[in-house]
Amino acid sequence: MALALVSMAGCTFTGDSDDSVALAVPTPPAQAAAVCRALHKELPTTVNGLKRGTAEPASDYTAVWGDPAVRLRCGVPRPEAMDSATESAGVNGVDWLPEKRKDGYRFTTVLRRAYVEVTVPGKYAPEVNALLDLAKAVKKTVPKGVA
């Protein structure tokens, strides 16, 4: 397993007592939207031992686990960091672009038909562990290729 790290996605979130988290919902193109809906159906109920919560607003393009939340957004735009010499890291057959954030990491899939972004707070270091539980769903539903 290669090491990858997750960063904060630059989206706003607030935790409350009912495990809901406000999360910016992506607006993917039609092809990516179909892929993201398929991914949403396959996402695990736990990630890194954290129970899945409810993302607000509810969407087939977002998911959250734990508090503070590990956040997933599917169908995000290509990250600017992919234009640099930054290298990706493979985790269980899925390549991710790691970006260090103020509190944790953001990981974005590389060479997949839709960009899937996962942000992991530093509380869950090593942040890469969250990707272990997500790899199976990504491999099953997000085909290899270029988005």
Side-chain angles (χ1 to χ4, degrees), residues 6-43:
V6 178
S7 67
M8 302 301 284
C11 53
T12 306
F13 69 98
T14 56
D16 53 30
S17 60
D18 67 353
D19 289 333
S20 67
V21 176
L23 191 61
V25 177
T27 54
Q31 179 184 3
V35 167
C36 292
R37 286 190 296 274
L39 172 63
H40 193 263
K41 292 176 185 175
E42 296 295 326
L43 291 173

Side-chain angles (χ1 to χ4, degrees), residues 111-129:
L111 300 176
R112 295 278 168 173
R113 293 281 181 189
Y115 292 109
V116 178
E117 172 189 278
V118 178
T119 59
V120 182
K123 174 181 179 177
Y124 306 122
E127 292 89 338
V128 69
N129 287 350

Side-chain angles (χ1 to χ4, degrees), residues 1-9 47-50 65 68-71 89-91 96-108 117-135:
M1 173 188 79
L3 175 66
L5 300 176
V6 178
S7 67
M8 302 301 284
V47 167
N48 199 27
L50 304 169
W65 294 265
V70 169
R71 299 177 314 252
V91 178
W96 301 87
L97 171 72
E99 296 177 83
K100 176 72 174 129
R101 296 294 176 172
K102 187 175 182 178
D103 176 30
Y105 279 84
R106 175 174 60 207
F107 302 96
T108 307
E117 172 189 278
V118 178
T119 59
V120 182
K123 174 181 179 177
Y124 306 122
E127 292 89 338
V128 69
N129 287 350
L131 303 179
L132 296 171
D133 294 324
L134 295 169

